[in-house]
Amino acid sequence: MPDPIFIHYHLLDVFTGTRFGGNPLAVVLHGAEALTDAQLQQVAREFNLSETTFVYPPADAAHTKRVRIFTPARELPFAGHPTVGTAIALALAGEVAAPEAGEHEQVLELAVGPTRVRVRSRDGLAHHAQLAVARLPEEEPPLDRALVAAALGLAEGDLLGGDVHAPAVSGCGTPFLMVPLATHDALRRAAIRHDAWGATLAGTSAEMVCVFTADGAGDGVDLHARVFVPSDGIPEDPATGSAIAGLGGYLARRTPRGDGTLSWTVSQGVEMGRPSRLELEVDKAGGAITAVRVAGEAVWLGEGRLRVA
C-alpha cells in the first residue's frame, strides 16, 4: 500500500487581536506539493472556512513563498485575510527570518502577482501585517440603484443618493459590488435575496458584494462594512481584505484630494459576532491611484495534521 499523505496546517484568526474574533484561516505550511488540485479543493471544503491557503516553494528564489488560496468552492487569485494570515503564520512558524521586534518584508507569489507584505513583530512574535496589492483597483460602470436595493432586501432610499455614490464593481484582482448605504440601520438589515441577485449582477464581473456606511462611525472606526459571498456558499464573511482593497479604489476615486495618502479604519463582522478591524490606505498622485494597502492583526490558534490520502 502507498504511504499515507499528511499535511501540516496552522489555524489563525485574522484582522483581530483577539482569539475567536476576525476571520478564521487554515494555512497548510507543509505537504501541499503532494496534492492534486482536486485534493486541494477537498481539503478547503473539509475545513469549510472562508479560505484555506497552501504554501509552496517560490518560483522566483528572490521571493518568500508561493501561495494558493481556496474557498470551499474554488481557487481565488487574491484575497486579503489569507495573505495577511499566511505571512504572519510563516513568521510564527519560523519559516522566514523575523526580528524580535520591528518589521520584515515578505514577497508572496499569488495568482494575481507577487504581493509585498510587511510583517510586524512584538516580543518575538509576529502579530500584524500590511499587504500592498499587486494589481491596482479597477472599476466597472455603475449599476441601477433600485435593482441593487431590491437584491439586498432594502428600499432604494436606504442607499446613498447621487450619481457619485452609485453602486459599482471595484476590485484589485477579486471584484466586489460596492454599495454605500445611508445608515447603520440599513447595514444591519441588508441581506441577499437570491432570487434577484444573479440578475442584478448579470453583465458584471462580480459575484460578491460589500455594503458599507460611514453612519455610526467613531471609536477609531471610519466605516462599517459587511460582505456577502453567496456564490461560494459563504452567506457572510467576517473580514474581507480583498473587498476592503476594492473599497479603497471606490472611495479614492470619489475623494477630491489628488495627492497624498488617504486612510480609513473599517469595522466588519460585528453582526456575526466576530468583530474585525481592517486598516486601509490608498496613495494618489496627480489624481491617480498609485498604491493600495490593507493591514491588520492576527492571532495564532493552533496546528495539526490532516490525512488526505
Side-chain angles (χ1 to χ4, degrees):
M1 294 182 60
D3 292 335
I5 299 175
F6 289 92
I7 58 173
H8 177 211
Y9 65 89
H10 287 249
L11 295 174
L12 299 92
D13 284 333
V14 184
F15 289 125
T16 179
T18 305
R19 287 181 178 82
F20 311 118
N23 201 347
L25 173 72
V27 181
V28 177
L29 289 177
H30 302 117
E33 299 96 321
L35 305 184
T36 66
D37 284 4
Q39 288 171 319
L40 296 175
Q41 190 65 73
Q42 287 177 326
V43 170
R45 192 175 301 119
E46 183 68 20
F47 281 123
N48 202 33
L49 302 174
S50 296
E51 282 98 7
T52 297
T53 63
F54 300 89
V55 177
Y56 300 81
D60 185 333
H63 297 160
T64 307
K65 296 287 183 180
R66 182 167 73 96
V67 180
R68 298 179 68 181
I69 304 169
F70 283 78
T71 75
R74 58 175 170 155
E75 185 172 6
L76 294 178
F78 167 65
H81 105 273
T83 305
V84 165
T86 300
I88 291 175
L90 287 167
L92 289 173
E95 296 289 320
V96 298
E100 287 288 313
E103 294 183 343
H104 72 278
E105 184 175 89
Q106 301 178 23
V107 180
L108 302 181
E109 296 174 352
L110 308 182
V112 75
T115 301
R116 295 187 178 276
V117 187
R118 296 197 65 82
V119 180
R120 188 186 307 162
S121 297
R122 180 180 58 207
D123 300 327
L125 296 176
H127 71 100
H128 181 278
Q130 181 190 66
L131 69 87
V133 300
R135 184 183 299 175
L136 292 176
E138 299 174 347
E139 187 169 314
E140 299 178 15
L143 275 67
D144 181 86
R145 186 178 278 103
L147 289 177
V148 171
L152 289 167
L154 299 173
E156 186 175 351
D158 287 321
L159 277 60
L160 278 182
D163 291 343
V164 71
H165 298 301
V169 173
S170 177
C172 299
T174 303
F176 291 80
L177 174 61
M178 302 295 164
V179 184
L181 300 180
T183 66
H184 204 154
D185 177 65
L187 186 83
R188 285 191 291 266
R189 289 186 283 108
I192 296 293
R193 278 189 50 192
H194 294 275
D195 57 339
W197 192 245
T200 301
L201 289 181
T204 78
S205 62
E207 298 177 352
M208 301 170 279
V209 61
C210 173
V211 295
F212 65 95
T213 184
D215 182 49
D219 192 25
V221 172
D222 301 300
L223 298 167
H224 299 279
R226 298 177 68 186
V227 173
F228 305 106
V229 192
S231 61
D232 285 353
I234 302 169
E236 184 170 354
D237 200 36
T240 318
S242 54
I244 301 308
L247 176 60
Y250 181 94
L251 294 171
R253 287 190 175 94
R254 290 157 177 81
T255 300
R257 182 177 173 186
D259 295 279
T261 298
L262 307 169
S263 63
W264 298 268
T265 299
V266 184
S267 170
Q268 192 183 332
V270 174
E271 291 76 12
M272 304 176 64
R274 298 194 67 98
S276 310
R277 187 165 291 203
L278 301 90
E279 303 156 16
L280 171 63
E281 292 182 348
V282 181
D283 293 343
K284 293 179 73 176
I289 296 170
T290 58
V292 177
R293 294 177 295 276
V294 178
E297 294 186 286
V299 292
W300 183 83
L301 291 177
E303 61 185 303
R305 289 201 311 163
L306 179 70
R307 180 171 177 173
V308 180

